[in-house]
Amino acid sequence: MRPDDSREGQEPRYARLGYVAINVSDLDRSADFYEQLWGLQPNGGIDDQLRFFRCSANHHDFILAKGEPGLKRIGWQMESEADIDRIADRLRRHGHATIEVDPAETALLRQGRSVRFADPYTGATHEYFASIEQEKDAWSPTLANIQRIGHLVLKTPRFHEAVNFYNNVLNFPTSDRIGDVVNFMRCFPNPLHHSIGLSNSESNGLHHVNFMVSEIDDIGRALWRFRKNDVPIVRGPGRHPPSGSVFLYVLDPNGITIEYSYGMEEFPEGNARDHRVLPAVPESIDYWGAPTDKRLGKIGIVESLV
C-alpha cells in the first residue's frame, strides 16, 4: 500500500539511512571496539560527550554518545530540502509535532537544516536532513570492507499500528514480512530491501544495527576475529530468506546487537514486486539454520527469528 498522500511529486523521497546514534556507558571502551574490532573510522567529536565515526565519504555514519545504553537517534538523508518540508508537513497533518534542530547542533553535526520528531509507536527519535559535509579523504576500509550503514530494527508492542504508520505516513513500503513478527521496509525510493525493520515485541527498544560489507570473506574473517577477541556471537553466519543477505550478529561492549551482512535484494522505483508474507518459523529468517546463543539473554520468538 502506498501512502495516503499520493499526489504526484508530493511524497517525501529518501536518499538513504543517513546515520544511527547510540548511547553507551563508556565512550572510550566503545570507541576502541568500533574502531579496532568493527572497522569504523573515528572522525572527531566531544571527548566526554560523543564520538563520530564514518564508513563512507560522509562526515559521520555512526555516533556514540554518553548515556544509558540504547538507541539515541536515527538520521535520514532526504533527496532535497523540499523533502524535509514534505515529511515535516505530513507528520504535522497526522498530529505529530516536529522541531527544527538548533543551528549550533547542526553545525556540530556538519549537516544542513535538520528536523526531528519522536515516534510514538517505537519511542525512536527520527531526524531528517538533506546535506552533510563530505570528507576530503576517501573512505579506506581497514578490518572489513564496510560499504555503508545498512539498516536497523526497532522493537515495538504496537506492531500493527507502527507498520501502518511507517507505510502510510513515513513512506516506507513493506518489502517482506514474517507473519506478525517482523516487517521489513525500505525508505522510498532507496532500492535496498530494507533500511528499517519493525519487530513485534513486549517493549520498545533497539533490536540491532546493521553494516553492509562488500565481500562474503568479510563475514568469515569477522567470525574468527570476534572469537579471538572474546566478542559474543549471537547468531550466524547464516542467510536471510527475505533479503538474501548473509549475516553475522554479535554484541558490542554494552550488549547492543550489531550485524555485518553481505548482499541484499534491490527494488526498482517503479513496478516493484509485491511484498511476501513468510511463515513465522525460524526457517524464514535463516536458510542455514544458525542457532541463537540463548546464554546471551532472554530469547523470545522475535529474538529467535531475528
Side-chain angles (χ1 to χ4, degrees):
M1 181 183 297
R2 296 308 305 275
D4 53 16
D5 182 4
S6 58
R7 291 172 294 167
E8 184 72 23
Q10 296 305 304
E11 294 176 354
R13 293 173 61 90
Y14 296 79
R16 63 184 184 96
L17 172 61
Y19 71 87
V20 173
I22 63 171
N23 290 320
V24 299
S25 59
D26 186 321
L27 275 174
D28 290 333
R29 181 180 63 167
S30 292
D32 287 346
F33 172 86
Y34 281 101
E35 179 183 5
Q36 298 173 17
L37 290 175
W38 196 252
L40 300 179
Q41 180 179 327
N43 200 27
I46 303 174
D47 283 347
D48 61 345
Q49 296 181 41
L50 77 163
R51 309 283 176 83
F52 296 112
F53 290 85
R54 68 183 183 111
C55 56
S56 70
N58 298 308
H59 175 265
H60 60 271
D61 302 276
F62 191 62
I63 300 175
L64 300 178
K66 178 73 173 177
E68 183 67 25
L71 179 67
K72 180 178 179 65
R73 188 168 63 248
I74 310 166
W76 300 99
Q77 186 167 8
M78 311 304 287
E79 286 193 350
S80 69
E81 290 281 335
D83 290 300
I84 299 175
D85 292 327
R86 290 184 182 112
I87 189 66
D89 289 345
R90 177 175 286 197
L91 286 166
R92 288 191 289 267
R93 289 202 310 273
H94 286 82
H96 303 282
T98 65
I99 62 167
E100 294 275 344
V101 180
D102 186 272
E105 186 174 0
T106 60
L108 175 66
L109 293 169
R110 311 294 179 88
Q111 295 173 189
R113 173 189 168 225
S114 303
V115 171
R116 290 178 187 157
F117 97 102
D119 170 12
Y121 304 100
T122 67
T125 296
H126 294 255
E127 178 181 272
Y128 304 96
F129 62 95
S131 62
I132 184 170
E133 182 177 296
Q134 300 293 291
E135 294 299 322
K136 295 179 181 178
D137 298 331
W139 159 243
S140 180
T142 54
L143 298 173
N145 294 291
I146 299 175
Q147 289 181 305
R148 62 177 68 88
I149 189 164
H151 66 265
L152 75 164
V153 172
L154 303 176
K155 299 188 292 186
T156 174
R158 301 174 67 182
F159 176 73
H160 295 288
E161 294 173 273
V163 169
N164 181 66
F165 177 73
Y166 277 72
N167 284 165
N168 294 308
V169 178
L170 299 186
N171 199 20
F172 284 14
T174 293
S175 298
D176 284 309
R177 194 177 85 231
I178 299 178
D180 289 328
V181 177
V182 188
N183 198 88
F184 300 102
M185 291 167 283
R186 58 195 187 276
C187 55
F188 186 83
N190 185 287
L192 294 175
H193 180 275
H194 58 281
S195 298
I196 200 165
L198 297 176
S199 170
N200 196 345
S201 302
E202 294 179 357
S203 60
N204 286 338
L206 173 64
H207 193 286
H208 72 267
V209 180
N210 163 273
F211 294 82
M212 298 177 69
V213 296
S214 60
E215 300 176 7
I216 196 168
D217 290 340
D218 290 315
I219 303 291
R221 285 192 294 264
L223 174 67
W224 297 110
R225 181 169 71 252
F226 296 145
R227 285 188 174 177
K228 289 175 184 177
N229 288 278
D230 297 321
V231 176
I233 296 171
V234 178
R235 187 174 184 135
R239 191 177 187 97
H240 289 314
S243 63
S245 302
V246 175
F247 66 82
L248 179 67
Y249 295 94
V250 305
L251 299 182
D252 83 349
N254 280 271
I256 294 172
T257 303
I258 51 177
E259 177 194 18
Y260 279 145
S261 68
Y262 164 72
M264 177 173 276
E265 179 183 5
E266 297 191 9
F267 284 70
E269 180 172 342
N271 300 313
R273 68 165 175 81
D274 292 335
H275 75 266
R276 300 167 295 192
V277 180
L278 285 69
V281 296
E283 292 77 12
S284 291
I285 205 65
D286 184 15
Y287 282 124
W288 298 355
T292 298
D293 190 336
K294 298 184 180 181
R295 297 171 299 174
L296 299 177
K298 180 180 178 182
I299 304 297
I301 184 170
V302 174
E303 286 75 12
S304 68
L305 288 176
V306 183

